[in-house]
Every structure is written in structure tokens, then in C-alpha cells.
Amino acid sequence: MISRALGGSQDHRYLCGVRSTAIIEIFAFLAAMLLLDWGIGGGSRFADVSPHPFWIIVLLASSYYGTSTGLAAAALSAGALLIGNLPEQGFGEDHSAWLLRISAEPVLWAITAVTLGEIHSRQQRVRDELKHERDQAREAALSITQAYENLTRITRDLEVRVASQAQTIHTTYLASRAIDQQTGDDVLAGVADFIQSIMAPKKFSLFLLNNDVLEMITAEGWVQGDTLRTEIDKASPLYEEIVSHRRILTITDPKHETSLAGQGLLAGPLVNAETNQLIGMLKIEELKFADLNPSTLHNFQLACDWIGMSFTRARRVEQFVESLCVDSVGQILPATLFDRQRALFAERSQRSDYNASVLFLRIESQASGGSHRRATIDRAIQHIADRVLPSSGLRFSLRGTQWDYAILLPDVHSTLANDLGQRFMNLLKEESNRGGQFGEASYLVETVHQGSLPRADLKEYAA
């Protein structure tokens, strides 16, 4: 029966439990001894030599290979010694004594093979145990080393993460201050710094919703040759996803990739947190590949919410300022007071029978801007009004209606109110020619009451 077994890094063949190489070595040794005996020993197979030379192979095989190989060596040596070379039974020697005489040497070989083989097996087991313990010690040491390296790496990563988070918190705080402004224009001016601080994109843009069209208001990183659209209308799938479904779109999602249609990597809606009304869209067109990860998507959603909240707050502040007073010195009253004051004005003029008129003004600004810029224009208009209109007139801001301003003029006939309005237009035109921020202007005079008392003269209001 021939089998194979792996010993260490070698592949050994076995024949009846004995290594084939050992059998070859035993046969080679016995053949060499028999040839030597045939040449110089007279063919007695060293029967008269003591100790017999075959002891060499039995001792070596038992000590080196173990019990099985030692017994094989003893058996083959006995065969080499006795086959065809049995000594004759002596005269007067009984059969038992003859058998004892011829088998004494092979029996001693077998006993020696078992003894030395078991000693070898015992040593082999001890070596195997020591080797196993050594391997376990190596594995334990390797595990400890790997655990230490992992702990060191984790500690280093945590230190980097803590430092990064601390820097991110500081950066985000500084960036948030850029968009934490009181006007919509100031928020737009701070969006670039805010986005760069949080995500550091190479290209991004901000769109605002205007009459069912998303119009690009500000863009960073766009270059000539880009096929990026400045307007997104209802026909675009991107418009549908942002305006109708209010979804955050990412290029990593195959469904979103179709809607983005090459217009960006990320897109998200800007929503008024109070009314849930859509304000616009934030879009990232180019970003480092390594930065396109779930953390970036979370930061992008945070940026959309933050910008929407800042716009909401800025518009609320602007509306509040406009509802109270337009200029800083409080000389123009809010529109909420106009109707009541006009009713009281009409009632008193009729009761006292004096002239009363209302002068309506519409003045278009050539420069768009927030409440701060409009307040600057209002002060310029206020200065012209101080030169033309009577100090007794009440001035109101009517922005959001057909007219921008209304002035209640007591004791002013409609004819004189027309003259004052024309003079106001002339001075406004002169101011615009000197670099003022005014466009087209118009006025309208309404007669509240035509009294019977004498009219005031335009000379009374001449500058």
C-alpha cells in the first residue's frame, strides 16, 4: 500500500507506513554489504563477525526514522542474513536450540528497533509540541503586533478626526457668519465663502426661482466653453425634481444622473423654512472625486438648509424694515398707515373746507439691491422732497403697490400739486444726470377735497 504524506515543506511517499526513501536507503546499504561480503568475506554474510555489520542500518533507521522503519530494517536485515544462508543444525543440537541460535540476532535487532524507535517517537512528539507552542507564541506575538499597529492607527485617525472636526467647526462657524446677514444681497455675497469652506468645490452655482424659471444668480469656477445652463425651466427633468419633488440629487444615483443630465454632480432645493416655499437651487458642477462621499452629501444638504434659512431670515428682516420705515431717520411712514391717514386727512379737509391733494410718485431704480441700497436711494429722494414739497406733507412708502411713494398735501390745490410734481420730476432728472441711481419716474395727483379757502402759491415752496 503506497500513500503520500506532507511533512513540513516536503512531499513524502510511504509504503506500508514506511517512508519510501528509507526503504531505498536500507536496500542500498544491505546490497553494498552483500557485495562487500561476496568480494572479501567469502560469502558467509558476515556470520562470524561480531557485532554484525547489519546492526548499523538497524540502529540508524530506528534512531532517525522511528519504530516502523527500524522494524523494517530489522526484517530486511534478517532476510538478507538468513535467506539462502541458514546454518546447519549441529549434531546433538535440538531444534529449539537451533531456532534460538539462528533467530537471536534478528530478535535483538527487532527489540533494538522498537526501543530506539519509541525513544525517537517520544523525542518527535516533544519536538512537535515545542514547535506547536512556538507557532502559537509566534501567532500571539503577531496578533499583539497587529493589535498594537491597529490601535496606533486608530489613535492617529481619531486624533486627525478630532483635529479636523475642530477645524471644521471653526471653519463652518466663520462661513456661517458670511451668510448670516440682514439682506438677501448680503446673503448672496457670502454664499461663495460658505460653500468653499464646507465642501471646497471647483464649480458651483446658485439659482433663484423667478416666474416658474430657475435663474442663475451667482456662479463660481465657470469658464468659457462650459455647457452649463443659466436657466432651468419646466421642460427640464432637473426642474421637476427640484421644484416639484424637492429632492437632493447626486450623480452616484443612476436615477438622479438622468435628471442632472450633465448639469452637475449635486443639486438641492433651497426652501423657506417657515412657509415651505421654494426659494431656489444650489448646484455643484465639479468636485474632487475623493470628496464625493456620503459625508459630502450630508454637508451639501446642510448647506442647502442653511442657505434657505438665511434667505428666509434676510427676507423677513427686509419686510420688517419696510413695514416700519424705509429711511433711517423715520421721515417716511409705512404703507400700513396710509389708508387710515388718508381717510382722516379727507375728513378734516372736508370739515374745515380747505384744499387737500395726494401726490403719488413712481421711481424706478437702475441698480437692484437690498434694503440698504434702497434706503440710500430713499434718502436721496427725501432730500429732493425737502426742497420741493411742503414740510407739512406726510410722506409714505407704498412699495409693493402700483406707486412707490405717496405724499398727503394739506392746503394744496390739485393745480399746485401738479406743479410740485413736475418740479419734483425735473430735480429728479437732474440728480440722475449727476450719477444718481434713478430710472424712469412718473407722478399722479389726486384731489381729496377742493376747498373754498385761498390757494397756496407755488412761490411758497420755491427752493
Side-chain angles (χ1 to χ4, degrees), residues 68-83:
S68 298
T69 305
L71 289 174
L76 292 174
S77 297
L81 175 63
L82 298 176
I83 294 175

Side-chain angles (χ1 to χ4, degrees), residues 398-418:
L398 303 183
R399 280 199 180 92
T401 64
Q402 181 181 0
W403 301 95
D404 294 326
Y405 302 95
I407 301 96
L408 298 182
L409 300 173
D411 196 24
V412 175
H413 191 269
S414 58
T415 303
L416 178 57
N418 270 296

Side-chain angles (χ1 to χ4, degrees), residues 361 363 381 384-385 388 420-428:
L361 301 173
I363 304 169
I381 294 174
I384 297 174
V388 175
L420 294 175
Q422 186 60 49
R423 188 162 182 238
F424 189 95
M425 293 296 105
N426 294 335
L427 292 176
L428 193 64

Side-chain angles (χ1 to χ4, degrees), residues 448-459:
V448 176
H449 179 71
Q450 185 171 346
S452 58
L453 297 179
R455 305 175 184 178
D457 193 332
L458 180 61
K459 295 180 180 181

Side-chain angles (χ1 to χ4, degrees), residues 308-326:
M309 179 181 64
S310 297
F311 262 110
T312 301
R313 183 171 55 250
R315 287 185 174 180
R316 186 172 62 245
V317 170
E318 289 179 349
Q319 292 172 359
F320 177 75
V321 170
E322 290 181 357
S323 67
L324 293 180
C325 187
V326 177

Side-chain angles (χ1 to χ4, degrees), residues 184-228:
D185 286 345
D186 294 335
V187 172
L188 286 176
V191 163
D193 293 337
F194 178 71
I195 298 299
Q196 288 291 348
S197 299
I198 290 184
M199 302 179 65
K202 294 181 180 180
K203 294 181 182 180
F204 73 92
S205 56
L206 185 70
F207 289 72
L208 293 183
L209 184 63
N210 183 19
N211 295 328
D212 296 331
V213 176
L214 288 169
E215 297 179 348
M216 192 270 289
I217 301 300
T218 180
E220 291 289 333
W222 287 22
V223 296
Q224 188 175 5
D226 286 341
T227 58
L228 300 173

Side-chain angles (χ1 to χ4, degrees), residues 359 382-391 395 419-425 427 458 460-463:
L359 177 62
Q382 183 72 30
H383 176 68
I384 297 174
D386 289 341
R387 297 174 56 188
V388 175
L389 303 178
S391 58
R395 304 164 190 182
D419 294 338
L420 294 175
Q422 186 60 49
R423 188 162 182 238
F424 189 95
M425 293 296 105
L427 292 176
L458 180 61
E460 298 179 14
Y461 308 116

